Amino acid sequence: MAKKIGLYGVLAFCLYVLFFYWYLFYFSQSSLPFEYQGTKADPATFLNERELMLTEEYSKIRNFLFFISTPIEWLFYLLILLFGLSKTFKRWSEQSAKYRILQQAIYLIWLSVAAFIATTPLSYVSYSLSKKYNISTQSFSSWMKDELIDFWINYGTLFLIVSVLYWLMRKSGKKWWFYGWLISIPFTLFMMFLQPVVIDPLYNDFYPLKNKELETKILDIANSAGIPAEHVFEVNMAEKTNALNAYVTGIGSNSRIVLWDTTLNRLTEDQILFIMAHEMAHYVEKHLYIGIAGYLVFSLLGLYIISRLMRAIVSRWGEALKISAVNDIASLPLFLLLLSMLMYVSSPFSNTVSRYQEMRADRYAIEMTQNSEAAIGTFQELTKAGLSQVNPPLLVKIFRYGHPTMLERITRIEEYELEQRNQQ
């Protein structure tokens, strides 16, 4: 049975990879519909021929890597179970420590190291690709440092979650998913509170915006939007990337406005103010809190589905997967496999909600700044800096895009311009 499950798993993965290779490189089209050609949304009007060619090449390869990365994770967890490695990690941990909490910590080290070894080659390919196309400016040592920081943050977070979840599985039986969800609420809020001041500085240096005149203008917009921000922070991203970004992060007293230095170096002041107005719109329209509420609802539903699936799978295929019970720590790869699958399946819905919120933020920003030229110029520069497709294939948009496509964003700005002219 184990061989059959493994064979079907590998075959499904191969068919999945072949489908997306065919779809991205041979079937899908990213050319603009005729009615948009020659408009400000047409990349041929603001990119040269080389940039157009590089955008298509880079986008196709990057999208392909995205679509195969998550299934590789699924295949990894499946093989870890089928080959009995999860059970072996459990046995080693029990031989190494007396107390259960230490055994779980040791088990997670083995599993995390195995996952790191399995996924790092694809991460390196992605890093090398961004270097080749001049998106990334990061040195290998700096990239590896970030990978190791990711490893230890993920390990520490996973250790806390696993310790609580498997304790609940042993103590609460079939209701573990509900009690785990209740505990996740304060934990999620606490992590969001810590993110800007504890986690983010591990990767980059943050400091108050050097351009005080620009900071004053940004804070004026923030005050008019009712955002309690006292400082705008600048982060040194130029040593890692040529991409552009800005965001509002954190909750409560730790909320802050952040600008990448690449954005400051490349965009005009009016374009930066448009981006800031866009980011502040998320605060004004309570998108962060709507997102938290949505996450909690989906996590409740997700944990319930996982609990039902784990019981059914262990009952039917537990012997083949080398899992004796749901509350056995050796079942963790199955939990992570199901969690990853649910997140992947639900991503089209969450991306749709996100795109709607981003569209609302664009509208808010253009109404606040009243500068459509700066707005369109911003989107054109973002396209150029990230080598992004203006009109990506449908499946790429559905599964990857939490923002509207550049075609949609620029077109809406042009429609807004037309509305304003008609009202005059």
Side-chain angles (χ1 to χ4, degrees):
M1 178 61 73
K3 290 182 179 180
K4 185 179 292 187
I5 294 174
L7 179 61
Y8 287 155
V10 171
L11 180 61
F13 173 75
C14 292
L15 291 174
Y16 174 94
V17 169
L18 287 173
F19 169 78
F20 274 102
Y21 183 82
W22 166 79
Y23 176 78
L24 293 171
F25 290 93
Y26 295 100
F27 178 78
S28 63
Q29 295 291 327
S30 60
S31 57
L32 290 186
F34 176 77
E35 61 268 26
Y36 297 110
Q37 293 178 14
T39 67
K40 294 177 182 178
D42 187 348
T45 64
F46 58 89
L47 298 179
N48 59 43
E49 289 187 10
R50 175 172 171 75
E51 288 171 333
L52 287 169
M53 179 191 69
L54 292 176
T55 295
E56 285 302 306
E57 287 182 359
Y58 177 68
S59 295
K60 287 180 178 180
I61 300 172
R62 183 182 60 173
N63 290 332
F64 180 67
L65 291 176
F66 165 81
F67 279 111
I68 68 172
S69 61
T70 302
I72 284 178
E73 181 184 340
W74 304 342
L75 188 62
F76 165 77
Y77 288 130
L78 179 62
L79 295 179
I80 282 284
L81 291 168
L82 292 175
F83 283 111
L85 288 176
S86 183
K87 188 176 181 180
T88 300
F89 295 158
K90 177 191 174 184
R91 185 175 72 251
W92 289 348
S93 67
E94 290 173 343
Q95 292 172 349
S96 303
K98 178 180 178 181
Y99 299 103
R100 190 189 299 272
I101 192 73
L102 292 178
Q103 292 173 358
Q104 290 176 339
I106 295 169
Y107 171 87
L108 279 176
I109 278 288
W110 283 109
L111 182 62
S112 298
V113 169
F116 183 80
I117 293 171
T119 58
T120 295
L122 190 62
S123 297
Y124 179 74
V125 169
S126 180
Y127 160 73
S128 299
L129 179 71
S130 62
K131 286 279 285 187
K132 177 182 177 181
Y133 285 87
N134 202 34
I135 302 298
S136 174
T137 59
Q138 191 174 19
S139 66
F140 175 79
S141 59
S142 175
W143 173 79
M144 198 67 223
K145 175 187 173 184
D146 285 351
E147 290 290 302
L148 291 174
I149 292 173
D150 279 345
F151 174 86
W152 287 112
I153 289 176
N154 291 336
Y155 172 79
T157 305
L158 188 61
F159 174 67
L160 291 174
I161 293 171
V162 167
S163 298
V164 173
L165 273 184
Y166 277 81
W167 178 79
L168 289 172
M169 287 179 184
R170 293 190 300 272
K171 299 296 182 180
S172 306
K174 296 180 180 180
K175 293 290 184 69
W176 65 266
W177 60 272
F178 179 71
Y179 296 119
W181 176 77
L182 288 177
I183 294 173
S184 75
I185 297 174
F187 179 76
T188 299
L189 296 176
F190 180 66
M191 291 300 292
M192 293 184 70
F193 183 78
L194 287 184
Q195 183 81 31
V197 295
V198 175
I199 298 176
D200 289 346
L202 295 174
Y203 296 89
N204 300 100
D205 296 325
F206 291 77
Y207 39 85
L209 185 61
K210 297 171 185 175
N211 187 336
K212 296 304 175 184
E213 183 179 346
L214 177 60
E215 182 181 45
T216 300
K217 293 180 179 180
I218 293 172
L219 291 177
D220 286 342
I221 296 177
N223 290 333
S224 65
I227 298 176
E230 297 181 358
H231 297 287
V232 179
F233 288 84
E234 183 178 339
V235 55
N236 61 329
M237 292 298 297
E239 63 185 27
K240 292 185 177 182
T241 183
N242 285 318
L244 312 178
N245 197 17
Y247 56 92
V248 177
T249 185
I251 58 175
S253 60
N254 277 355
S255 61
R256 53 170 57 176
I257 301 168
V258 180
L259 272 165
W260 286 12
D261 58 352
T262 51
T263 304
L264 291 166
N265 296 336
R266 187 156 177 173
L267 298 187
T268 66
E269 184 175 286
D270 286 342
Q271 290 170 343
I272 292 171
L273 292 177
F274 172 79
I275 287 181
M276 286 289 91
H278 169 97
E279 296 301 331
M280 292 172 191
H282 292 306
Y283 180 92
V284 173
E285 299 209 351
K286 306 291 189 286
H287 290 165
L288 176 63
Y289 298 101
I290 293 171
I292 293 173
Y295 167 78
L296 292 176
V297 170
F298 273 96
S299 62
L300 175 63
L301 180 62
L303 283 172
Y304 171 73
I305 292 173
I306 289 173
S307 71
R308 295 295 298 269
L309 288 175
M310 285 187 72
R311 286 208 308 271
I313 291 171
V314 171
S315 175
R316 183 167 183 178
W317 296 294
E319 184 177 350
L321 297 175
K322 316 297 191 297
I323 302 173
S324 59
V326 170
N327 61 10
D328 181 1
I329 190 66
S331 71
L332 180 59
L334 177 61
F335 175 87
L336 296 175
L337 168 63
L338 295 174
L339 176 63
S340 179
M341 285 183 163
L342 285 178
M343 291 176 65
Y344 185 79
V345 170
S346 65
S347 62
F349 177 80
S350 60
N351 285 340
T352 299
V353 174
S354 177
R355 286 195 299 270
Y356 173 76
Q357 292 178 338
E358 295 295 336
M359 180 270 291
R360 294 277 301 174
D362 284 348
R363 182 77 181 191
Y364 179 93
I366 191 60
E367 290 177 351
M368 173 173 279
T369 61
Q370 293 292 311
N371 193 335
S372 57
E373 183 180 344
I376 292 173
T378 298
F379 293 141
Q380 290 175 341
E381 285 297 327
L382 288 170
T383 301
K384 185 183 296 187
L387 294 181
S388 304
Q389 289 173 310
V390 169
N391 187 34
L394 179 61
L395 290 181
V396 174
K397 175 184 174 180
I398 290 173
F399 282 94
R400 286 209 68 184
Y401 274 55
H403 289 71
T405 66
M406 287 303 178
L407 173 62
E408 294 168 333
R409 302 181 87 171
I410 295 176
T411 299
R412 287 193 183 110
I413 298 298
E414 290 185 306
E415 290 172 353
Y416 177 82
E417 279 185 310
L418 185 60
E419 288 175 13
Q420 295 303 106
R421 290 197 201 102
N422 292 337
Q423 292 174 6
Q424 291 176 357

